[in-house]
Structure formats: C-alpha cells, structure tokens
Amino acid sequence: MITVTDLRKTYRQGERTITALDGVSLSVPKGSIHGIIGHSGAGKSTLVRCLTLLDRPTSGSVMIDGRELTSVRDAEIRLARRRIGMVFQHANLLDSRTAAQNVAHPLELVKTPKAEISARVARLLDLVGLTGFGDAYPSQLSGGQKQRVGIARALAAEPDVLLCDEPTSALDPATTEDILDLIHELTRTLQLTVLVITHEMNVVKRICDSVSLLENGKVVEHGPLIEVAATLDGSLARALMPLPGFKRTSALPVLELLLAGNSASGPVLSGLTRRFNAEVNVLAGSVEHLAGRQFGRLRVELDAEAPLAEITEFLESAGVQVEVAA
Ligand SMILES: Nc1ncnc2c1ncn2[C@@H]1O[C@H](COP(=O)(O)OP(=O)(O)OP(=O)(O)O)[C@@H](O)[C@H]1O
Ligand SMILES: [Mg+2]
C-alpha cells in the first residue's frame, strides 16, 4: 500500500517560486494499479522524483506499507529506494552485459551471495517470459524484450512498489499490449502496489484499477476507473470515451448520453423510440469495456413531440446520464 498525503514541491528560479506539486494526495492498495495521467508540465516527473527520493519534497508525506519515506536520512536513502522498483520508457540496459547480468546488477550492488543471485535471476527471467534469453545481449533483443529485462531488473530487489514512468511510450501498439498485460499479471501474482505515470489513455483503459488526473501540480479528478468513467461531465470520462467535435446541422435537440453497466447493455434507444414515437439519430458514439464493465457515450439527435424534460426523465430512470448538448 502506498499513501501520498499533501505532497508539495516548489522550486526557486531566481526570484520566482515554481510550484510543481501543489498538495498531491493519493492512495493505492496492495495488488492494484493506479494510473497518473497528465499533460506536459503537470508535475508527473516531479512526482516520480519525489517518490523515489531523487528529489526531496518540500512538504507532505509518502508512506509505503505504513513506513514514512520522506523522513529517511540521506545515509539510508539507498536502502529505502530498494522498496521501489522503477520501470522507465527506455529499459536503459547496460549494453556490455547480458540480460541475466543486467537483472543481476542491483543484487550485486547490495552484495547478494552469488548462488542466490543466479537462482533469483533465472526465476525473474521466467516470470517476465524470457526463459532461455539470459545470455542474450541487449543488441540481440527486441524493444519489448528489453523492456521485459528492465521489468525483471526492477523486481530483482523484491520491492513492494513498482513505479512505471511511461513504460510503453517507446513501444509499438502490439508490444505495448504485451508489456501492459505483463505488468498487470505481475501485480496480481506478486501482490505489488503499482503506480503508472503516463500520458496515454490506452494504458489507463487496459490495466489501471484507479486513476488520478494531474493538472498544474494538483489532482483534479481521481477514483476507481469504473467511477470516473461513469461521470458524465468528467474530463477523464471524456478522455476514456472521446467523441468527435460537434457542429449543429439542424434545429433538433441533441443529447449526450452516458450508459454505464446494465444501462449500457439494455435496449434504451429502442425503448425511447417506442415510448415517445421518437426518431433517434446517433451522431457519434464510443463504447468501451473497462474493468469488466461496458460503458457507452452517445451523442444523439432527437425528433420527438414529447417535451425534452419527459424524455430526459425516462432516460434517467433507465440509468442513463443525460446532458442536453444543443
Ligand atoms: N528542477 C526544476 N527547477 C525548476 N522548475 C522545475 C524543475 N523541475 C520541474 N520544474 C517545473 O515544474 C513543473 C512540472 O514539471 P514536470 O517535469 O514534473 O512535468 P511533467 O508532467 O513531467 O511534464 P512532461 O510530460 O513534459 O515530462 C514545470 O512547470 C517545470 O517547469
Ligand atoms: Mg516528465
């Protein structure tokens, strides 16, 4: 479990004070994956640096399994850092070392006995799907395989927390899916607490249990994936199920509908047609399966004689969230 409370980081630049993190709080239970999504300059890298003690936060607390990380003295930073495994955009492997030697590296640094290292490295390579690749050099591996070595290396010291900073930004779509599935599987089997920093909504859709949206150093939206996806006017819901821009072409009313869970699979639109003798024209739509549930966002144009309020009430009673777009 990782708990971040009111984390602040300010930088001085001459006369100016730059607030990179402005009271960030989040909590990630063991065995789950939390996504942190944000635009450039939102504070993502600053957060990573503060969590890994590469940078000291100005104030606030970071607890891993109930132990405070920010009060660790400089001499003990190395030890504290072992509790956090890091996976980066590029695996940053040592080219002169084989895959197995790269995974062994952090263990050698802390003087783990040789026999234990080789047993653990073999186990880790199996775990990330690289059985038989131990003797390969980075130049002989694909981008996805290198990232697997990077993940095995991050897990070598048996950390409680895995911090992934844009883990798939340098990979093609198919490899991205493989690596995300691996992170997901490892989280469950090793009961890791995982934070994934990303600017790709696809990463959030595929593996995250919960998500925070970071803007100007602040968490402006957060929650379990199925809750944020079910928030009609939320930025995260819009990003999860984007609809194209909208230009009005007739005087008919246009509604935006969010269908979540049961309402998403029920025959809501045909019900509307039957009940109000209405013509429903779907202008745009997006359907997603998130955390095992179906979500849909639709923009529809309505041609009906019944008052809009009555139609809205009918839809809401069927569990659909409604916003009048025009
Ligand atoms: N060492 C520093 N000194 C001064 N300002 C900094 C420093 N590091 C970061 N900042 C500022 O803090 C803010 C957040 O930066 P940060 O690098 O955390 O953003 P980011 O979300 O990682 O962006 P990107 O997606 O572009 O990597 C920015 O306004 C940046 O200019
Ligand atoms: Mg960054």
Side-chain angles (χ1 to χ4, degrees):
M1 170 108 185
I2 181 164
T3 314
V4 175
T5 312
D6 205 17
L7 202 66
R8 284 169 204 280
K9 177 70 192 177
T10 53
Y11 294 106
R12 301 261 343 146
Q13 242 181 29
E15 292 290 282
R16 285 201 315 148
T17 301
I18 294 162
T19 305
L21 295 178
D22 192 2
V24 169
S25 296
L26 47 94
S27 139
V28 189
K30 210 176 180 55
S32 77
I33 306 180
H34 187 83
I36 295 183
I37 192 149
H39 291 301
S40 185
K44 302 185 295 296
S45 297
T46 307
L47 182 60
V48 170
R49 285 199 304 274
C50 287
L51 293 181
T52 51
L53 300 179
L54 289 170
D55 218 343
R56 289 284 188 169
T58 309
S59 67
S61 110
V62 179
M63 309 263 272
I64 295 180
D65 292 339
R67 276 188 284 170
E68 178 59 56
L69 204 66
T70 46
S71 59
V72 170
R73 279 175 289 133
D74 285 349
E76 290 161 359
I77 279 188
R78 269 206 164 177
L79 205 64
R81 226 180 252 151
R82 289 185 62 196
R83 308 181 61 201
I84 302 178
M86 286 285 299
V87 176
F88 303 95
Q89 178 172 358
H90 298 282
N92 304 325
L93 303 178
L94 298 168
D95 289 330
S96 59
R97 287 176 152 243
T98 62
Q101 288 166 345
N102 268 285
V103 178
H105 193 56
L107 297 172
E108 290 165 2
L109 290 179
V110 296
K111 309 218 163 22
T112 309
K114 276 217 165 77
E116 193 184 329
I117 293 184
S118 58
R120 215 192 284 181
V121 168
R123 199 153 25 89
L124 285 162
L125 288 174
D126 285 349
L127 204 59
V128 298
L130 286 181
T131 309
F133 284 89
D135 292 334
Y137 284 90
S139 62
Q140 298 167 316
L141 297 172
S142 71
Q145 288 168 332
K146 279 187 225 172
Q147 195 57 304
R148 285 172 190 270
V149 177
I151 292 171
R153 183 186 52 192
L155 296 173
E158 298 178 331
D160 307 303
V161 171
L162 193 63
L163 197 55
C164 307
D165 191 4
E166 302 280 3
T168 55
S169 299
L171 303 174
D172 65 50
T175 314
T176 292
E177 299 203 343
D178 289 347
I179 293 295
L180 291 177
D181 289 348
L182 175 65
I183 293 173
H184 188 255
E185 192 187 311
L186 291 171
T187 305
R188 301 295 186 254
T189 49
L190 302 177
Q191 281 295 296
L192 298 168
T193 304
V194 181
L195 267 175
V196 182
I197 314 277
T198 184
H199 64 272
E200 292 172 285
M201 215 57 205
N202 178 39
V203 172
V204 175
K205 280 183 193 171
R206 197 165 176 102
I207 60 167
C208 289
D209 299 294
S210 56
V211 59
S212 292
L213 174 63
L214 199 61
E215 265 176 25
N216 298 319
K218 284 194 169 81
V219 173
V220 294
E221 243 184 88
H222 69 99
L225 193 58
I226 50 175
E227 279 179 24
V228 298
T231 308
L232 178 66
D233 57 355
S235 311
L236 284 168
R238 274 181 213 287
L240 286 164
M241 290 163 283
L243 296 183
F246 163 57
K247 236 198 198 143
R248 213 185 152 87
T249 51
S250 77
L252 293 170
V254 174
L255 305 181
E256 248 182 63
L257 312 179
L258 182 75
L259 302 90
N262 291 338
S263 73
S265 46
V268 173
L269 295 185
S270 54
L272 192 66
T273 306
R274 272 199 304 274
R275 169 77 183 268
F276 297 100
N277 193 23
E279 302 273 359
V280 183
N281 184 16
V282 177
L283 301 177
S286 171
V287 176
E288 283 289 345
H289 275 273
L290 302 168
R293 291 176 65 178
Q294 187 168 315
F295 290 85
R297 197 177 186 99
L298 295 177
R299 185 182 294 138
V300 299
E301 189 178 57
L302 274 185
D303 192 353
E305 288 191 352
L308 206 49
E310 219 173 285
I311 291 176
T312 304
E313 200 186 309
F314 169 80
L315 286 167
E316 285 173 347
S317 69
V320 178
Q321 294 180 54
V322 186
E323 192 177 75
V324 180

